[in-house]
Amino acid sequence: MSTVVSTAGSPSVHMREASGAIAVEQPVNLELRRLAAELAPMVDVWQRLLDQHLPDLAGRCRTCTKGGTGLPSRPWPCSIHGIAEMARRRYDSDRAS
């Protein structure tokens, strides 16, 4: 893994995938993956997040509401659901190996 500066001026990380192709991963994605890795062993936490952050009939996250209103405001899947899902996949992957 090596760090380079992209044309936009923000650093990106190059990672070699199993197929041999080189993928460019932005630092934000790398941080989310690290967060998911930390969360992976906390099964009860990510399961609860997955159970709570579900879509309503309008396709918005039921838990991510607009402050003080209780009205869903974020499109689903929300970022918290995404991180919890990454943690679940990491947990499953770690158990399989």
Side-chain angles (χ1 to χ4, degrees):
M1 187 177 348
S2 62
T3 303
V4 298
V5 177
S6 71
T7 56
S10 61
S12 59
V13 177
H14 287 211
M15 300 173 61
R16 187 166 302 278
E17 296 180 352
S19 66
I22 295 178
V24 177
E25 186 167 359
Q26 298 301 318
V28 171
N29 292 338
L30 187 59
E31 289 300 315
L32 293 178
R33 288 169 48 105
R34 287 181 183 155
L35 177 58
E38 292 290 326
L39 191 60
M42 300 177 219
V43 177
D44 57 330
V45 174
W46 57 257
Q47 281 179 337
R48 193 171 323 123
L49 291 171
L50 289 173
D51 290 344
Q52 292 175 349
H53 290 265
L54 296 172
D56 64 8
L57 294 175
R60 300 203 174 275
C61 178
R62 294 185 312 185
T63 306
C64 295
T65 60
K66 185 173 182 180
T69 67
L71 299 173
S73 61
R74 299 277 183 239
W76 189 87
C78 64
S79 57
I80 293 173
H81 184 276
I83 293 167
E85 180 62 26
M86 287 190 325
R88 183 195 62 79
R89 282 191 240 134
R90 174 67 182 256
Y91 176 80
D92 289 346
S93 173
D94 288 349
R95 286 188 50 182
S97 40

